[in-house]
Amino acid sequence: MKILSDYSLDELQVELADFPKFRAKQIFDAIIQSKDYSDIALPKDMINKLKENYILKPIEIYKTLVGKDGTKKYLLKLYDENLIECVFLHQSYGNTICMSTQVGCRMGCKFCASTLNGLIRNLTAGEMLSTIALVNADNGKSNTRNFTNIVLMGSGEPFDNYANVVKWLDLITDKNGFNVSERNISISTCGLVDKIYEFSKLNYNITLCVSLHATTDEIRRTIMPIANRYTINEIVEALKQYVKENSRRVVFEYCLIKDVNDREEDIINLKKITAHLLCHVNVICLNPNGGSLKATTRKEAIDFVNRLNKNGISATLRRSQGEDIAGACGMLRAKSLKQKS
Ligand code: SAH
């Protein structure tokens, strides 16, 4: 079966060439509004033909949790029964959707719940577009855009699903569809250096974020297996290239873990790492997932960020949203998988 949301409007017109041209636009609008066959006015025989080969709505809401702060966490079910997560955050500067790029993840970061059962499969570009459409429709009218920003910070490693993520970028920024500004999209990677170089050349105006989480390769290797493949130096060089090609500030994500990366020497190291790079450090407190890693307290985190700032490093502490509803990456899905087994 093919997924209709994998196609751009132009591609749909070619794919559905057996039908009158305006039908492609009708299908495309249905995708954006998260409609299924039963919700649109199409001739019965056309629907029957389409249903034989194509899935119109590959994703549905399985469970919704609403946090005290209004953060909505979704467990979504794909057409093949796989579950993914998505979060809708209400923010003063516009609502943000945080979404997944893979079912599971194979990067193996020690603190992250998404990777606990490994990678099941990649999401297609259309499944990612349909995720946005579904969550958009659940947060207002389906024919308006009810969000401003999208961050690829859910489950999965976006650059491990590179081709689909790039295709999705074209779909989500398409003027015929959601028309999201590239500037309002952030992609977070654990640091797949070869893909950072490849992506730099495409000149998208998105914000590129790299999960750093340690200031020496030695420590990084103990919490992020990808550090065995690429050094921090190699990441910084690749990011310099990204900044050069795109004139965009890059972001380091830095999740504070007690006695692992919150030491005085980490501040000195961070100063060196960020010294010649147009960048910002986004500090987060670890959301413990039951492993041996402990969180730095919020008070210590505030102090850590203050010390970074005193050292001339652009850094902020990210407000933690949705903590009461298993807010961090993959936690809700992991919980649900556990209950099933
Ligand atoms: N694979 C991508 C996107 C993943 S999630 C990446 O590694 O960047 C987005 C961010 O949440 C990453 O910085 C990730 O390291 C972080 N994260 C994952 N689990 C977390 C946890 N338990 N507490 C705090 N941050 C976490």
Side-chain angles (χ1 to χ4, degrees):
M1 290 290 261
K2 296 175 185 172
I3 298 171
L4 285 167
S5 52
D6 277 327
Y7 298 84
S8 66
L9 180 56
D10 288 348
E11 289 167 346
L12 267 185
Q13 280 166 355
V14 175
E15 183 70 20
L16 304 178
D18 289 349
F19 303 103
K21 205 174 168 189
F22 72 95
R23 294 293 183 197
K25 177 76 168 89
Q26 206 180 349
I27 298 280
F28 188 81
D29 290 344
I31 291 165
I32 300 301
Q33 294 183 32
S34 196
K35 290 181 172 169
D36 209 345
Y37 289 120
S38 55
D39 311 319
I40 42 175
L42 287 179
K44 260 225 162 72
D45 62 323
M46 181 174 174
I47 290 192
N48 290 338
K49 271 189 203 155
L50 286 174
K51 273 186 176 170
E52 277 172 28
N53 299 305
Y54 301 101
I55 295 166
L56 176 56
K57 189 175 177 181
I59 188 159
E60 61 184 61
I61 295 174
Y62 180 70
K63 202 185 234 174
T64 311
L65 295 180
V66 185
K68 286 190 208 107
D69 57 9
T71 300
K72 261 184 176 173
K73 180 130 196 178
Y74 295 92
L75 201 54
L76 306 175
K77 192 157 88 180
L78 294 157
Y79 67 94
D80 64 357
E81 307 278 304
N82 272 309
L83 296 174
I84 56 166
E85 295 184 2
C86 190
V87 186
F88 189 91
L89 303 126
H90 297 272
Q91 282 153 337
S92 54
Y93 48 86
N95 298 329
T96 296
I97 298 179
C98 172
M99 67 168 224
S100 301
T101 52
Q102 296 180 311
V103 181
C105 183
R106 60 178 180 144
M107 293 299 130
C109 299
K110 221 174 165 182
F111 45 83
C112 182
S114 299
T115 202
L116 289 175
N117 296 292
L119 175 69
I120 310 296
R121 70 171 177 85
N122 283 331
L123 294 183
T124 71
E127 286 174 311
M128 290 185 262
L129 178 69
S130 292
T131 303
I132 296 291
L134 180 65
V135 170
N136 182 65
D138 194 54
N139 285 281
K141 286 188 186 151
S142 65
N143 61 355
T144 57
R145 176 147 65 78
N146 308 314
F147 65 91
T148 308
N149 307 294
I150 302 177
V151 296
L152 300 197
M153 293 188 184
S155 298
E157 166 50 45
F159 282 175
D160 190 37
N161 185 14
Y162 185 81
N164 287 325
V165 166
V166 170
K167 170 108 207 253
W168 169 82
L169 267 179
D170 292 336
L171 292 175
I172 200 72
T173 53
D174 185 346
K175 300 227 168 6
N176 296 303
F178 281 109
N179 193 14
V180 177
S181 160
E182 288 173 21
R183 289 171 185 280
N184 292 329
I185 299 174
S186 299
I187 296 184
S188 179
T189 172
C190 62
L192 301 186
V193 167
D194 53 342
K195 289 291 187 288
I196 296 177
Y197 280 112
E198 214 176 316
F199 189 71
S200 298
K201 290 190 207 134
L202 301 182
N203 290 114
Y204 285 102
N205 274 317
I206 66 126
T207 300
L208 185 61
C209 310
V210 170
S211 298
L212 187 63
H213 305 330
T215 62
T216 68
D217 291 321
E218 204 186 343
I219 294 180
R220 199 162 185 263
R221 282 183 205 121
T222 65
I223 51 173
M224 298 178 74
I226 192 66
N228 293 304
R229 181 104 175 264
Y230 301 109
T231 63
I232 294 173
N233 250 336
E234 286 170 325
I235 292 174
V236 170
E237 286 309 308
L239 290 178
K240 278 186 187 162
Q241 185 64 23
Y242 185 83
V243 173
K244 200 168 150 200
E245 300 256 12
N246 302 281
S247 311
R248 302 274 303 163
R249 183 181 80 162
V250 292
V251 174
F252 282 120
E253 280 157 282
Y254 198 83
C255 162
L256 283 175
I257 307 170
K258 184 99 194 132
D259 299 329
V260 173
N261 63 9
D262 61 354
R263 308 153 308 159
E264 189 59 39
E265 60 201 276
D266 289 311
I267 292 175
I268 298 161
N269 294 343
L270 271 172
K271 193 170 175 176
K272 285 185 199 143
I273 291 168
T274 57
H276 303 290
L277 186 64
L278 180 62
C279 67
H280 179 80
V281 182
N282 219 338
V283 178
I284 323 154
C285 287
L286 176 77
N287 205 330
N289 69 7
S292 58
L293 301 172
K294 300 279 173 281
T296 305
T297 65
R298 184 119 196 119
K299 198 164 161 270
E300 287 163 338
I302 292 169
D303 184 52
F304 188 86
V305 171
N306 283 340
R307 280 183 287 152
L308 289 179
N309 293 154
K310 273 194 194 120
N311 277 277
I313 303 167
S314 163
T316 42
L317 180 63
R318 194 160 77 197
R319 192 161 59 99
S320 187
Q321 286 185 268
E323 256 170 336
D324 53 330
I325 50 166
C329 260
M331 284 187 173
L332 187 59
R333 175 173 169 268
K335 228 173 165 177
S336 171
L337 291 178
K338 219 171 171 182
Q339 280 163 4
K340 272 189 180 169
S341 60

